[in-house]
Amino acid sequence: MSVTVDEAPASWVRDSGVWAGMSIVLLVAMLDRVSLVALTGGFGIGALVTAMMSTARRTAGVAAFALAATLGVGALSEGYGAAEFAVRGLTCLVLGVLAVVSAETRERREARLRRLTVIADAAQRAVLRASPERIGTMGFAVRYVSASEEAGIGGDLYEIAATPFGVRVIVGDVRGKGLPAVQTAASVLGAFRQAALSAPDPATLARRVDDVISRLIDDEEFVTAVFAEFRADGTVALANCGHHPPLLLDADGARVLDTGEPTPPLGLMPDPELAVHPWRPGSRMLLYTDGLVEARDEAGEFFGLDAGTPVLTGRPLPAALDGLVERLRAHVGGRVADDVALVLAEDRTRVGVAHAGR
């Protein structure tokens, strides 16, 4: 399936750039007629304004209108000699040509950006595959919030895999941005998908993933990550490689889980401890990247997990994450400064768990 990246411009009747340019031309014509000073180059400003807002073809139309206006006003004005009349027309013509060239250059640049955006989105989707909403008695919801307005691309990563040892999850954050970070994230996820089926526990899994990516990334690169394994015996095992620990929400309230002594990120030879915690029916766990808890408002205050905890329970998993993202955006004033990856897991062993996500 092909993707169309060039957007058709709105009708010229609704094109604000055309109307802005023509309005400026008419305003200059009026000022030229009533003032004692000839606004020789003023007529070309309309085309320049249109060039910033509309297409090259419509800019050419406004430029032609400006040239006609400057020649018309010059013809109606008394005392203009042939030389001044020619200067007025030539100046407006040159500005009009510059405006058309500028508009064409901007159109090419924007079209290229749209194509790169499509490529970046495709790369991101190839790395972060669609996650299952349910595996056995486990329910899941995921969200990815990009800090880039042009493309949803970055180095945050997540994956969910059903294995003989239980349902395993990784959430991580690559140091860096853009396509290089996506490439590193793809390497991490590829290593995870391969090792998740054979590594006996999350700590061993983390070391195996590190063995793979350490040979693929530069010395200055690293990846923070947390590995979780939801077991059938009612426990969850965690291995943390320099990442923020997950948030557990159960009958005892909300709390950040202990993941043992700090260990270096992937790529720096981590040797994480295995931390095991109870995983009761109806419990929820939020795994996240640092873009969530390190987001600041205008006063420099961090978002913090306490601000998002109330919306993570009592509603379906997708709605819970949507509510968390809404609170995050409200905290930062609409735009996040860093990518955020979120995975919300739920134990649905108990029959009739309320608000199970569909």
Side-chain angles (χ1 to χ4, degrees):
M1 181 179 65
S2 61
V3 180
T4 302
V5 298
D6 293 329
E7 298 178 356
S11 169
W12 72 269
V13 177
R14 300 179 180 178
D15 194 324
S16 58
V18 172
W19 287 108
M22 294 179 67
S23 299
I24 290 175
V25 172
L26 293 175
L27 177 61
V28 171
M30 293 174 57
L31 293 175
D32 188 278
R33 290 291 293 162
V34 301
S35 66
L36 299 176
V37 180
L39 303 176
T40 302
F43 290 88
I45 297 177
L48 294 174
V49 170
T50 303
M52 295 186 292
M53 305 171 64
S54 189
T55 64
R57 179 175 297 182
R58 292 175 183 176
T59 299
V62 174
F65 176 72
L67 180 60
T70 192
L71 295 178
V73 171
L76 295 175
S77 301
E78 299 179 358
Y80 279 11
E84 186 173 359
F85 188 80
V87 169
R88 289 169 63 92
L90 182 60
T91 301
C92 188
L93 177 62
V94 170
L95 291 177
V97 171
L98 291 176
V100 172
V101 172
S102 176
E104 186 176 0
T105 301
R106 178 183 56 79
E107 283 189 279
R108 287 199 300 267
R109 184 171 59 249
E110 291 178 352
R112 181 173 179 271
L113 177 60
R114 287 194 293 269
R115 287 192 292 270
L116 290 176
T117 298
V118 171
I119 294 172
D121 286 340
Q124 189 81 356
R125 291 178 184 275
V127 172
L128 300 179
R129 302 183 301 188
S131 297
E133 296 182 359
R134 185 175 186 125
I135 299 179
T137 60
M138 292 291 301
F140 293 96
V142 301
R143 291 292 184 273
Y144 192 99
V145 183
S146 175
S148 172
E149 292 183 343
E150 291 79 17
I153 184 170
D156 289 12
L157 58 94
Y158 58 82
E159 181 65 290
I160 303 169
T163 76
F165 310 97
V167 180
R168 288 178 168 174
V169 179
I170 180 176
V171 172
D173 186 1
V174 178
R175 179 181 183 271
K177 299 290 182 183
L179 289 175
V182 174
Q183 184 177 10
T184 301
S187 300
V188 173
L189 293 178
F192 170 80
R193 291 161 185 159
Q194 181 177 13
L197 297 176
S198 59
D201 57 66
T204 304
L205 175 58
R207 288 189 286 270
R208 291 186 182 179
V209 172
D210 177 72
D211 289 340
V212 173
I213 69 165
S214 293
R215 297 191 294 268
L216 301 176
I217 64 177
D218 297 334
D219 293 338
E220 296 181 356
E221 289 186 292
F222 59 82
V223 183
T224 68
V226 62
F227 298 79
E229 178 182 278
F230 299 95
R231 298 171 171 175
D233 63 358
T235 61
V236 55
L238 303 170
N240 193 341
C241 300
H243 200 78
H244 289 280
L247 176 72
L248 178 66
L249 305 102
D250 59 14
D252 295 331
R255 60 195 180 278
V256 174
L257 291 178
D258 178 17
T259 54
E261 291 295 323
T263 188
L266 300 173
L268 300 177
M269 295 185 296
D271 187 18
E273 297 180 4
L274 189 65
V276 181
H277 298 273
W279 178 241
R280 306 185 184 109
S283 299
R284 289 185 174 185
M285 181 180 292
L286 177 70
L287 300 99
Y288 53 92
T289 54
D290 58 8
L292 178 69
V293 293
E294 296 180 6
R296 297 173 182 262
D297 61 12
E298 294 182 354
E301 295 293 331
F302 290 111
F303 177 69
L305 292 176
D306 292 341
T309 299
V311 301
L312 293 176
T313 58
R315 58 178 70 183
L317 296 179
L321 283 189
D322 288 340
L324 180 61
V325 172
E326 289 176 4
R327 291 203 171 193
L328 173 63
R329 291 192 183 278
H331 180 79
V332 299
R335 181 181 177 183
V336 296
D338 192 11
D339 297 340
V340 180
L342 304 170
V343 175
L344 185 59
E346 181 181 55
D347 188 320
R348 297 178 179 170
T349 303
R350 187 177 61 207
V351 177
V353 171
H355 303 291
R358 294 176 177 79

